[in-house]
């Protein structure tokens, strides 16, 4: 993510904090910047480690709580898949994911055909769909190449 896009996201976060009566603390700003800098759908632990490398002192619990609040406010998105830790996505626009079943890598993919998939009518079971994301699972190129070497 380039610096201008990061600045725009920080400014949007600053406005949201004002609207919601939240303080824009140095820790919140640092956590958001870490997520914006990491393009690999990081876990809370990975964000915490990135902050430690930058010598930002913040507890793991604070990182987790802050990431969860960012997701609730729509600043970032949560990406989950079975058997793996919760991952956080800096992208909040409509996109989908490729998930490697070997290394747990999550890769963004945008495809208008996936966006146009019909959403089943779930009203009869009382469920209202507000959004959807497609997860395509398989083995990434790097893992396949590693397997070929062994």
């Amino acid at each position: 993510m380039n610096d201008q896009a990061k600045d725009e996201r920080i400014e949007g976060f600053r406005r949201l904090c004002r609207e919601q009566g939240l303080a824009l603390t140095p820790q919140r700003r640092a956590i958001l910047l870490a997520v914006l800098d990491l393009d690999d759908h990081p876990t809370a632990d990975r964000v915490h480690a990135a902050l430690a490398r930058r010598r930002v002192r913040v507890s793991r619990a604070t990182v987790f709580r802050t990431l969860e609040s960012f997701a609730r406010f729509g600043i970032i998105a949560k990406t989950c898949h079975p058997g793996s830790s919760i991952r956080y996505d800096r992208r909040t626009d409509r996109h989908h994911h490729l998930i490697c079943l070997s290394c747990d890598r999550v890769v963004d993919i945008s495809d208008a055909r996936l966006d146009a998939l019909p959403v089943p009518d779930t009203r009869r079971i009382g469920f209202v769909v507000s959004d959807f994301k497609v997860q395509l699972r398989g083995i990434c190129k790097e893992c396949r190449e590693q397997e070929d070497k062994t």
Side-chain angles (χ1 to χ4, degrees):
M1 177 174 282
N2 67 36
D3 288 341
Q4 180 181 352
K6 276 193 258 185
D7 290 344
E8 289 171 7
R9 294 287 292 274
I10 293 292
E11 183 53 37
F13 180 54
R14 183 176 286 120
R15 282 192 307 272
L16 179 68
C17 284
R18 257 192 321 268
E19 291 167 8
Q20 298 294 321
L22 298 171
L24 178 55
T25 64
Q27 292 86 357
R28 286 180 178 150
R29 188 177 192 287
I31 291 167
L32 181 56
L33 280 172
V35 172
L36 296 178
D37 285 340
L38 296 167
D39 64 354
D40 61 348
H41 305 80
T43 63
D45 284 333
R46 180 129 157 62
V47 172
H48 185 256
L51 291 166
R53 282 192 301 280
R54 295 177 183 180
R55 300 193 195 296
V56 175
R57 297 188 69 180
V58 60
S59 73
R60 184 183 176 285
T62 297
V63 170
F64 180 79
R65 281 192 313 270
T66 302
L67 291 171
E68 287 295 307
S69 69
F70 286 176
R72 273 193 314 279
F73 284 122
I75 297 163
I76 60 174
K78 285 170 68 168
T79 300
C80 308
H81 67 93
S84 181
S85 298
I86 295 171
R87 310 283 283 270
Y88 296 91
D89 194 342
R90 65 186 184 178
R91 287 185 60 185
T92 57
D93 62 316
R94 166 73 49 103
H95 68 285
H96 310 283
H97 293 119
L98 303 173
I99 298 174
C100 180
L101 296 171
S102 182
C103 68
D104 286 335
R105 181 176 296 147
V106 179
V107 178
D108 292 333
I109 181 173
S110 296
D111 189 313
R113 294 170 298 178
L114 295 175
D115 296 345
L117 288 173
V119 177
D121 183 359
T122 56
R123 290 176 297 186
R124 65 179 172 77
I125 59 172
F127 192 87
V128 178
V129 175
S130 60
D131 189 22
F132 75 96
K133 291 185 189 245
V134 176
Q135 293 184 349
L136 302 171
R137 299 179 185 162
I139 306 297
C140 71
K141 178 182 177 181
E142 290 80 6
C143 288
R144 281 195 338 272
E145 288 174 351
Q146 197 67 10
E147 286 176 2
D148 291 344
K149 290 179 182 177
T150 59

